[in-house]
Amino acid sequence: MALKAGIVGLPNVGKSTLFSALTKKQVDINNYPFCTIEPNVGVVEVPDARLAALSALSGSKKLIPAVFEFVDIAGLVKGASEGEGLGNKFLANIREVDAIVQVVRVFENGNIIHVHNRVDPKEDIDIVNTELVLADLETVIRRKEKTVKDVRARAKGAEQEMKWLEEIESVLEVGRLANTVALSGDAEESGRFMKGLSLLTAKPFLYVYNMSDTDAALPAELAALPHVRLDIKLEEELGTMTAEEAAELGMVSRLGELIREAYSLLGLETFFTTGEVETRAWTIRQGSTAPQAGAAIHGDFEEKFIRAEVVGYEALIAAGSWAAAREEGTLRLEGKDYVVADGDVIVFKI
């Protein structure tokens, strides 16, 4: 499941440095605005201690973690929705991602240029979000112009569509994100409609506060937002050290927290397959049935699904082996309607 989180923010807040630390890829992190023009893309492992434990239990020759994709997108400035800076390129790139990770500068450093010559994290968030909201308003207004004609022609569903557009517009007009609106009518139909609009602010948001002191108190308005605190410069330094060197200095990376939060942000979870050949973590959406989970391995696993042998990770580790879990009754057979839980270890029968 190839899902992407776009790393966004104003110029020089630490986006590319964070991307480099996350992916260990060398990208241009020079100290000037718009040094990132084409988006850098990198795949990172999702940290999960369960994988190693299952591998040890099965004596696996290979261990394959779940992965997540991060995209480093050019810095945005005020007026991007009208084409300022690299606005049009920025907006086009961000439409391609599934979630938004917004890096916000909290640290003070006179040697690093701030595009507005001051450090005000709340204002920075407002600038970025306002540009995204304005771009979404333009999308909604264009769609309304088309829908008005459909309403006049009495096209099926046009009146409901217009109502939804007006509900979304009323939220955007007061500066709120589209992901805060609760559309009227059937939830499944309204959800499909919202998805079809491809609004930027309908995506889930996670804020990364770039702080020199990650234990410092945050203003209530920042603390209330879904966030992760990172010292991105420290993370960059840790990327050049061995684990032993970092341990000697008492330095601990918090990148794993960001990766897990981004993974969770998209409503993803993990199930496992394990054996002598390999132990592997598979990514699925929360609420997936056993056949849908099987499709993560191969389409045939969904189409030709018969049943699944399932045991929870903790139960399998406690039992010590697949055979022992079967004897204890913690290993069970599940059918097509079974909803997979995070941490399930599964053998599919097709």
Side-chain angles (χ1 to χ4, degrees), residues 299-317:
D300 283 353
F301 280 51
E302 181 174 16
E303 296 168 11
K304 300 178 181 179
F305 179 90
I306 298 174
R307 64 182 182 275
E309 292 185 334
V310 182
V311 59
Y313 162 78
E314 291 182 355
L316 179 57
I317 294 298

Side-chain angles (χ1 to χ4, degrees), residues 184-201:
S184 59
D186 182 80
E188 191 172 329
E189 289 182 7
S190 63
R192 281 197 298 267
F193 176 75
M194 178 68 89
K195 186 175 181 180
L197 282 177
S198 298
L199 298 179
L200 302 171
T201 65

Side-chain angles (χ1 to χ4, degrees), residues 44 76 84 89 114-115 122 138 155 162 208 223 289 305 336:
V44 301
L76 174 144
E84 289 294 325
K89 183 178 289 290
H114 189 290
V115 71
K122 181 59 171 63
E138 185 179 342
M162 179 60 79
V208 174
T289 62
F305 179 90
K336 293 182 177 181

Side-chain angles (χ1 to χ4, degrees), residues 241-306:
M241 299 181 188
T242 65
E244 292 75 16
E245 289 170 337
E248 284 181 12
L249 295 172
M251 298 167 69
V252 179
S253 174
R254 300 177 72 162
L255 287 178
E257 181 184 348
L258 169 59
I259 297 167
R260 287 189 293 269
E261 286 292 331
Y263 190 76
S264 176
L265 185 68
L266 285 168
L268 305 178
E269 63 184 19
T270 302
F271 77 88
F272 301 97
T273 54
T274 187
E276 290 184 7
V277 175
E278 69 175 31
T279 291
R280 182 163 183 164
W282 300 89
T283 299
I284 57 173
R285 290 196 180 276
Q286 293 170 7
S288 296
T289 62
Q292 290 169 336
I297 301 173
H298 194 283
D300 283 353
F301 280 51
E302 181 174 16
E303 296 168 11
K304 300 178 181 179
F305 179 90
I306 298 174

Side-chain angles (χ1 to χ4, degrees), residues 106-226:
V106 181
F107 70 90
E108 297 276 356
N109 187 328
N111 295 322
I112 298 179
I113 301 165
H114 189 290
V115 71
H116 296 301
N117 297 314
R118 53 98 190 100
V119 176
D120 186 334
K122 181 59 171 63
E123 186 175 342
D124 288 357
I125 290 173
D126 289 342
I127 288 171
V128 173
N129 289 356
T130 296
E131 294 306 322
L132 300 181
V133 164
L134 289 172
D136 282 349
L137 262 174
E138 185 179 342
T139 298
V140 170
I141 290 168
R142 286 201 306 267
R143 183 63 174 264
K144 281 182 69 178
E145 291 170 354
K146 173 186 177 298
T147 305
V148 164
K149 298 175 183 177
D150 293 339
V151 170
R152 288 174 182 161
R154 298 186 178 182
K156 183 179 178 181
E159 289 188 4
Q160 178 63 78
E161 181 174 310
M162 179 60 79
K163 186 176 181 181
W164 284 332
L165 288 168
E166 289 172 348
E167 290 171 354
I168 296 168
E169 186 177 30
S170 68
V171 167
L172 296 174
E173 283 181 334
V174 295
R176 286 169 51 203
L177 308 181
N179 62 22
T180 66
V181 67
L183 295 180
S184 59
D186 182 80
E188 191 172 329
E189 289 182 7
S190 63
R192 281 197 298 267
F193 176 75
M194 178 68 89
K195 186 175 181 180
L197 282 177
S198 298
L199 298 179
L200 302 171
T201 65
K203 302 174 190 291
F205 278 60
L206 177 67
Y207 297 89
V208 174
Y209 298 141
N210 189 4
M211 310 170 63
S212 53
D213 179 3
T214 55
D215 294 321
L218 285 170
E221 56 195 355
L222 296 183
L225 298 172

